[in-house]
Amino acid sequence: MTQPTNIRRALGHRPRLLDLFSCAGGAAMGYHRAGFDVDGVDIAHRPNYPFGYHRGDALERLAALIASGEIERYAFVHASPPCQAGCALTVGTNASQGWGGSHVDLVAPTRELLDATGLPYVIEQPNGRAAIRKDLSLCGEMFQLGVLRHRNFELGQWSVTRPAHPRHRGYVRGYRHGVYRDGPYVAPYGSGGGKATVPEMQEAMGITWTDVREELTEAIPPAYTDWIGRAYLASVAPGVAA
């Protein structure tokens, strides 16, 4: 692993993490459990976000923090730029059918600003054609969750050994091509067709603080970023991760 030289963590002090494109806080909660204090940024009103947050454009906020020097308050940055431009639901067959519309790809400008901070960071995207390095891929089965929700992560200024991807225990419950299959996982998106109810989504992902379907549909299970946060803290200061 690479070793950042200036982690802002001391005994009894929680390092601060900046959560860009924070949505309802699935990623934030995992980092909080790992040992970080978290500040979110999202362009939408997020009354269910469980920590303090700034409402506004995430990249404008990041640029302002860099320009003012306030970025020095942070030890780590997580970014989940909108994924619609490259996710599986808007490329391939779906795109050929005219579904999904057009979307701006924010991955490259997000990376450029993150590199300018000099801080370790994560860029998260779902499976699809998003132009990120897949330095780390996580799946709900790794954490015994009721969803698969594969997510890829590009790691900047640090690295970690990729965990093994366990064999899935069965199908995602619901209809596929007109055929219904039962299984140990639920589909935490859309509605109908055997997809998860809101309570099922909450239980499957371990998210209790929001019951808004849209927010749950977009959320990262906190278990993912709990693992990432602990891995990062252990890599820079063995023995101090929460």
Side-chain angles (χ1 to χ4, degrees), residues 150-221:
H150 296 95
R151 288 295 184 268
N152 301 310
F153 302 85
E154 178 175 321
L155 312 182
Q157 311 297 332
W158 73 293
S159 63
V160 67
T161 301
R162 294 168 62 100
H165 190 155
R167 184 182 179 88
H168 298 164
R169 288 172 287 129
Y171 292 106
V172 176
R173 187 194 74 198
Y175 282 92
R176 299 292 183 278
H177 307 293
V179 177
Y180 180 84
R181 292 186 173 93
D182 201 359
Y185 314 105
V186 298
Y189 53 86
S191 59
K195 294 185 175 63
T197 65
V198 165
E200 286 175 330
M201 292 165 74
Q202 291 175 308
E203 180 178 0
M205 290 192 289
I207 295 176
T208 59
W209 58 92
T210 179
D211 60 0
V212 177
R213 179 178 287 274
E214 176 197 1
E215 293 181 342
L216 291 165
T217 293
E218 296 177 356
I220 305 172

Side-chain angles (χ1 to χ4, degrees), residues 18-21 41 54 56-72 74 76-79 109-119 121:
L18 182 62
D19 178 23
L20 300 173
F21 311 97
V41 183
H54 171 88
D57 183 278
L59 297 188
E60 289 180 3
R61 176 65 172 171
L62 180 56
L65 289 170
I66 294 170
S68 69
E70 292 180 78
I71 195 65
E72 291 297 320
Y74 295 97
F76 195 94
V77 186
H78 174 99
T110 298
R111 182 189 296 112
E112 182 177 1
L113 281 174
L114 290 174
D115 283 336
T117 70
L119 295 174
Y121 65 79

Side-chain angles (χ1 to χ4, degrees), residues 1 26-36 76 122 135-139 142-145 151 153 155 158-165 220-235 241-242:
M1 296 181 185
M29 184 60 74
Y31 287 119
H32 173 77
R33 292 171 180 169
F36 289 90
F76 195 94
V122 163
D135 298 322
L136 178 64
S137 296
L138 297 179
C139 163
M142 295 175 176
F143 308 100
Q144 296 78 55
L145 300 180
R151 288 295 184 268
F153 302 85
L155 312 182
W158 73 293
S159 63
V160 67
T161 301
R162 294 168 62 100
H165 190 155
I220 305 172
Y224 293 13
T225 46
D226 187 342
W227 188 93
I228 292 171
R230 291 173 191 272
Y232 172 71
L233 291 175
S235 76

